[in-house]
Amino acid sequence: MSIFEWLLKIDRKYIFLVIGVLVLASFFIPFKMVIKDTVPVKNVYDSIEKMDENSCVLISFDFDPSAEPELLPMSKAIIRQCLRNKVKVVAIALWPQGVGLAENSLTTVAEEIGAKRGKDWVNLGWKVGMFQVVLAIGEDITKTFSKDNAGTPTKNMEIFEKVKNYNDIDLVITLAAGNSPDTWVTFAGTKYKAKIAAGVTAVMAADYYPYLQTKQMIGLVNGLKGAAEYETLVGKPEKAVRGMTPQSAIHIAIILFILLGNIGYFLTKNKK
Amino acid sequence: MHLSLDPWIWIAAILMIFIYSFLYKDNPFYKFAEHLVVGVSVGYGIALFYQQQFLPIVYTPLTTDFKNNWHLIVPLVLSTFFLFRFIPKVSWMIRWPIAITLGYGAGIAIPLIIQTSLYEQIRFTMLPLFGTDAGMWLTVVNLLIILGVISCLTYFYFSIKHTGVIGTVSKIGIVFLMVGFGTSFGNTVMARVSLLIGRTSFLMTDWLGLPIIK
C-alpha cells in the first residue's frame, strides 16, 4: 500500500485530531497575523465614522449562541465604535435567543465607555414575526416595542426623543445567522429606503455579495475574519483578532489535506 | 493556570466536551447533551413567547381594557384553530388561519421580493462595458458579471439541447457555478473553524484559565 492509498483510507478521527491539536497549539504560538481591512467591512466602519453625534444605529441581533464566536465579537466592536462616537444604539432581536446576547454586548461595552441605558443605548428585546416587525418599525418603533427588555416603557425614553422610524435611523445593521438580511433589505431597504449593512456568519456570506453589487447593502462584515478587521479598525483587538492565528493555521492544514487527497485520488485512480 | 470557580462555566465546559465526544463516536454523554440543548431551547422559547408576547399583546389588554381591545379576540380564536388538526372531525378548520396568513404574507411580500431580488438584480446586470471613468478594470469586471449571468442562465435553460454554442456557453456557466460553490465551501470551512476556535478559547481561558497568547 502506497502512502497515498493509506491517506485515502485514513480514519477521519485522525483529521479531527490534527485540527484539534493545531487549534490548541496556535493559541500558544507568539505569532500575530497582519489584518488588512476589506472594502465591505471598511464601508460599514466609515459610514458610522461619518455620522454626527446623536445619530442613531439600529442593530438587530438575529442569531443564537451557536453563532456567538463569530457574531458577538463583531457586535461588540460595532457597538464600541457607535458609543465612543456618541452615536445612539437601538438593539432589537428577530431571534428570541438574540436578546441575551445583545444584553451581554451592550452592557459590557456601555460599562467600559460609561454610556447610559435609555439615553445612549437601549435593548428592546425580541418581538415575534420577522417581516411584520421590520415593517412595523417603519411606522413607529416605540409603538412596535412599547417596553424595552428591562420592562421600562419606551415612549418617554430620551433615546427616542428624535427617533420615530427609519427616517430617523441612520443605519440598520443586521447581525445574522439566518436569512434575516434578506428580510431587512426587502422590507426596510426596498420599502422604507433604510440604509442596510450586515454582519453574517461566513457560511452564508457568499449569498449576500449580490446585495453589495446592487448597493442594496452598504457593507458586509464576513465571519470571524470580518470581525477581526472591525476590531482592528476600532483599535481594540480582542477575541476575533486572537482567533486569526489558529484560523490561518487550520486553513493551511485543510488546503494541504485537499491537495494530498486529490493527488492521492488521481494517482490511485490510474492504478485501478 | 487559574481554574474557574464559577459552576456555570463548569457546566458549560462539561456539556461542551460531551458534545465534542461525538467526533470519536456516538455515545450516551453526547445524547444527554443533545437532548438537553433541544429541551432548554424549546423551554426558553415558550417562556419568552409567553412573557414577552402573549401577556403584553393579548392577555393584559383583554383583561385590563376589554372595551377598547375586544377585537383581539378574533386573531386569538383564529390562532386556536391551528390546534384543531389534532381533532380529525374539525381538522379542516386549520385552513382558515393558514389562508389568512398566506394571503396577508403573500400580498405584502411578493411585490417587495420581486423588486428586491429581481428588478434590482437585473438592473445591475445592465452594465456599461466601454467609456467608463474607471477604465479598463471596470470593463473587465462588468464583462465578467454579464458573462456569468448569461452563461449560468443558459446552463439552467433546459428547453434546448446543450450542444454547439449553447453547450459551450453552458460549460462556461459551470465554471462560474464552480467558483460560487468553491467560495461557499471556503466560507463554510472558515465558519466551522471559527466555532471550534471560539469554543477552544472558552475552554482554555474561561474554564482552565491558561495563559494564552493575546
Side-chain angles (χ1 to χ4, degrees):
Chain A
M1 188 191 280
S2 74
I3 184 145
F4 287 113
E5 282 170 323
W6 177 76
L7 274 173
L8 285 174
K9 284 176 188 165
I10 198 167
D11 193 330
R12 63 181 180 173
K13 281 174 208 148
Y14 294 109
I15 295 173
F16 295 148
L17 189 69
V18 171
I19 298 290
V21 170
L22 265 176
V23 172
L24 284 170
S26 310
F27 278 107
F28 298 99
I29 297 168
F31 177 74
K32 274 193 178 173
M33 297 297 299
V34 179
I35 295 157
K36 286 183 180 169
D37 49 74
T38 50
V39 176
V41 177
K42 188 78 167 41
N43 283 349
V44 182
Y45 177 81
D46 285 344
S47 115
I48 296 174
E49 277 301 294
K50 282 176 195 159
M51 285 180 194
D52 300 327
E53 281 188 11
N54 295 322
S55 299
C56 180
V57 170
L58 187 145
I59 303 177
S60 185
F61 286 73
D62 309 331
F63 63 99
D64 59 9
S66 65
E68 188 218 296
E70 286 180 281
L71 298 181
L72 210 67
M74 206 183 279
S75 73
K76 282 183 182 166
I78 295 170
I79 293 167
R80 184 168 288 120
Q81 184 196 11
C82 290
L83 294 181
R84 210 168 56 185
N85 292 3
K86 303 209 183 309
V87 170
K88 296 184 185 310
V89 175
V90 176
I92 67 162
L94 293 184
W95 285 27
Q97 295 94 332
V99 182
L101 297 161
E103 193 69 19
N104 175 332
S105 289
L106 285 160
T107 47
T108 310
V109 180
E111 244 173 59
E112 171 194 311
I113 291 174
K116 283 182 184 162
R117 186 194 280 260
K119 181 178 173 253
D120 305 308
W121 64 274
V122 66
N123 180 11
L124 295 177
W126 169 69
K127 198 91 181 166
V128 72
M130 292 282 278
F131 74 87
Q132 289 98 329
V133 179
V134 176
L135 285 172
I137 294 171
E139 301 301 322
D140 192 332
I141 193 164
T142 53
K143 275 188 186 166
T144 313
F145 292 88
S146 55
K147 286 179 182 173
D148 76 351
N149 190 41
T152 315
T154 51
K155 206 178 173 184
N156 300 318
M157 272 186 187
E158 202 178 330
I159 194 169
F160 291 116
E161 272 176 7
K162 289 177 184 169
V163 177
K164 193 187 175 200
N165 52 36
Y166 293 119
N167 292 335
D168 315 305
I169 294 168
D170 299 88
L171 180 64
V172 175
I173 302 174
T174 166
L175 301 174
N179 67 346
S180 65
D182 290 313
T183 308
W184 283 103
V185 169
T186 307
F187 297 100
T190 305
K191 186 167 170 61
Y192 291 103
K193 308 291 172 220
K195 240 166 113 179
I196 312 285
V200 296
T201 53
V203 170
M204 44 190 258
D207 296 344
Y208 293 108
Y209 278 91
Y211 286 139
L212 286 179
Q213 194 242 331
T214 57
K215 297 180 175 53
Q216 288 165 292
M217 269 187 195
I218 62 136
L220 184 71
V221 188
N222 176 0
L224 196 69
K225 166 73 168 63
E229 288 174 39
Y230 217 98
E231 283 183 352
T232 311
L233 284 166
V234 172
K236 198 161 189 323
E238 283 188 317
K239 280 187 177 174
V241 170
R242 199 192 302 154
M244 281 302 99
T245 309
Q247 182 106 55
S248 307
I250 295 176
H251 282 194
I252 292 168
I254 288 173
I255 290 168
L256 286 175
F257 285 147
I258 292 171
L259 283 175
L260 279 173
N262 277 282
I263 293 168
Y265 171 76
F266 284 111
L267 287 178
T268 50
K269 192 178 141 191
N270 287 341
K271 269 189 184 176
K272 283 170 195 170
Chain B
M1 187 167 160
H2 302 284
L3 209 61
S4 171
L5 298 173
D6 185 343
W8 292 110
I9 299 274
W10 274 83
I11 291 171
I14 290 166
L15 286 173
M16 211 199 91
I17 292 166
F18 282 3
I19 290 286
Y20 272 115
S21 68
F22 185 78
L23 292 176
Y24 181 67
K25 65 177 186 182
D26 200 358
N27 62 73
F29 297 108
Y30 168 76
K31 283 264 190 284
F32 169 76
E34 188 192 28
H35 290 137
L36 192 70
V37 79
V38 172
V40 168
S41 302
V42 173
Y44 176 76
I46 291 172
L48 199 71
F49 181 81
Y50 181 74
Q51 281 289 334
Q52 294 199 353
Q53 309 300 315
F54 183 74
L55 287 183
I57 297 173
V58 182
Y59 184 78
T60 311
L62 280 176
T63 50
T64 54
D65 187 9
F66 183 78
K67 205 177 166 185
N68 289 318
N69 295 302
W70 63 268
H71 60 276
L72 291 175
I73 290 178
V74 179
L76 183 67
V77 170
L78 273 171
S79 65
T80 57
F81 287 8
F82 276 109
L83 300 172
F84 286 0
R85 66 172 302 192
F86 300 112
I87 309 166
K89 270 188 179 175
V90 286
S91 63
W92 57 271
M93 285 174 83
I94 193 179
R95 291 176 195 163
W96 291 2
I98 289 176
I100 290 169
T101 315
L102 276 180
Y104 159 76
I108 288 180
I110 288 173
L112 288 171
I113 288 173
I114 288 175
Q115 197 179 338
T116 307
S117 309
L118 206 62
Y119 289 169
E120 288 298 307
Q121 299 296 329
I122 290 172
R123 194 159 74 88
F124 276 85
T125 53
M126 295 174 188
L127 299 162
L129 290 181
F130 305 103
T132 58
D133 293 338
M136 196 60 195
W137 177 240
L138 193 71
T139 302
V140 173
V141 171
N142 287 353
L143 202 65
L144 271 174
I145 292 173
I146 293 166
L147 184 66
V149 171
I150 292 171
S151 59
C152 287
L153 283 175
T154 309
Y155 176 75
F156 287 107
Y157 189 72
F158 302 118
S159 299
I160 299 174
K161 209 172 181 185
H162 287 195
T163 50
V165 178
I166 299 291
T168 311
V169 176
S170 81
K171 273 179 190 154
I172 296 171
I174 294 174
V175 175
F176 277 95
L177 288 172
M178 288 301 151
V179 171
F181 296 147
T183 311
S184 291
F185 176 69
N187 272 310
T188 305
V189 170
M190 187 165 91
R192 301 302 178 226
V193 170
S194 303
L195 300 185
L196 176 66
I197 291 167
R199 291 296 82 202
T200 313
S201 167
F202 163 77
L203 279 186
M204 290 199 298
T205 54
D206 298 354
W207 184 43
L208 298 175
L210 291 171
I212 64 167
I213 304 291
K214 296 199 175 174

